[in-house]
Amino acid sequence: MRLTANGIDIHYTIEGEGPVVTMSHALGCNLALWNEQAKALSARYRVLRYDTRGHGASSAPPGPYSLEQMADDLYGLLTGLGVRQTHLVGISMGGMIGQIFALKYPMLLQSLVLCSTTSRYPTAVRSAWVERIRTVEANGVEPMVEPAIQRWFTPSFREHQPDVMDRVRVMLRSTPAQGYIGCCYAIPTIDVTDRLGEVHCPALVISGKEDPGTPVAMAQDIHAALPSSKLAILPSASHLCNLEQCEAFNGILLGFLDKVTG
């Protein structure tokens, strides 16, 4: 399904009935990243998944994009669908969008789940994002595929789950270069640690213990800054912990949502 909001067409899907849970994916992925979570949640929740600007079947206009712009995309999607309140689950870039959304549109949030993400990047990291942009401008997204696989999963999981690796490669390769680049401008600008005290809805922070991109220390910083948040560290998991430790991730997520919704 598609809806026009904030100047773009947003591709989305809805499954199940109950309180709304909206899920926002990582850079270079699409709503299929949440397939296993949608299966687990849709028995008692209305699960809304969408392709972020520049990804999947959503519009990929010229960048650069901003996190505020992508939060406005989500606001337009929710209001266009008549959603008055939602639980919001975001991983990596989706978690950054989630933080901006929570600060800008708190009245829409019942709870916030932030996975494998950060609230602030060191200034020194920004040069790596500039280099990534240059690489994709010159050669498309293909040079990003294998390095992402290396960062996103532990060696053991990569070895024993080739089918999952292939599905993730397909997502990465199908991401429009223009959309990938647009988001690469937005991601390193995240800097909201000092504002997270303004977020008062229930919150859960999830991190993979072996994540090199957004390590546990970043999750701990978010947890410390977010009032009344819970922190869960998943062992034997890297960046895409929702895939690598799917059963444990789903159990933690469902337990949190069920407690919040009563």
Side-chain angles (χ1 to χ4, degrees):
M1 294 178 280
R2 298 171 75 85
L3 181 148
T4 301
N6 202 31
I8 63 168
D9 289 335
I10 302 174
H11 174 244
Y12 69 94
T13 185
I14 299 177
E15 300 143 278
E17 294 296 332
V20 179
V21 178
T22 303
M23 312 197 82
S24 184
H25 61 75
L27 175 69
C29 298
N30 56 51
L31 59 79
L33 178 65
W34 296 116
N35 281 353
E36 296 306 313
Q37 283 68 52
K39 291 177 187 175
L41 293 175
S42 58
R44 52 187 186 269
Y45 291 95
R46 188 178 183 215
V47 182
L48 168 61
R49 295 179 288 155
Y50 73 101
D51 290 336
T52 303
R53 171 185 292 258
H55 288 69
S58 290
S59 300
Y65 308 158
S66 71
L67 292 170
E68 290 75 13
Q69 183 181 39
M70 291 189 278
D72 291 342
D73 292 343
L74 177 54
Y75 175 80
L77 174 64
L78 292 171
T79 54
L81 293 173
V83 175
R84 295 183 178 180
Q85 277 206 312
T86 185
H87 304 278
L88 179 56
V89 183
I91 190 165
S92 195
M93 178 179 72
M96 299 174 200
I97 296 168
Q99 292 171 75
I100 301 300
F101 187 89
L103 291 166
K104 196 166 185 180
Y105 303 107
M107 74 294 292
L108 288 178
L109 281 191
Q110 288 177 281
S111 73
L112 179 64
V113 182
L114 302 173
C115 317
S116 304
T117 194
T118 186
S119 56
R120 177 185 290 151
Y121 272 119
T123 304
V125 170
R126 297 192 178 194
S127 60
W129 287 95
V130 172
E131 186 58 36
R132 191 181 296 200
I133 289 167
R134 289 173 178 163
T135 299
V136 177
E137 284 176 338
N139 302 296
V141 296
E142 184 61 33
M144 300 295 106
V145 175
E146 291 309 317
I149 294 292
Q150 299 289 317
R151 292 192 307 272
W152 288 356
F153 303 100
T154 62
S156 176
F157 191 78
R158 295 198 303 268
E159 179 183 353
H160 292 105
Q161 299 291 337
D163 290 349
V164 177
M165 300 303 98
D166 287 344
R167 291 201 302 270
V168 174
R169 289 185 179 102
V170 168
M171 281 195 288
L172 281 159
R173 290 185 173 121
S174 67
T175 302
Q178 188 164 264
Y180 190 100
I181 290 167
C183 289
C184 284
Y185 279 103
I187 288 170
T189 68
I190 184 79
D191 187 6
V192 295
T193 309
D194 297 337
R195 293 193 58 201
L196 291 180
E198 301 171 30
V199 179
H200 298 296
C201 67
L204 171 65
V205 183
I206 304 176
S207 177
K209 190 173 182 179
E210 299 180 47
D211 183 356
T214 51
V216 169
M218 289 180 169
Q220 291 170 331
D221 287 344
I222 294 173
H223 171 54
L226 261 178
S228 303
S229 65
K230 306 293 184 183
L231 176 64
I233 309 298
L234 291 174
S236 303
S238 188
H239 193 58
L240 293 189
C241 55
N242 69 307
L243 297 182
E244 186 155 8
Q245 292 294 338
C246 182
E247 187 174 343
F249 183 97
N250 291 352
I252 291 167
L253 177 58
L254 268 169
F256 171 77
L257 293 172
D258 289 348
K259 185 175 181 180
V260 170
T261 57

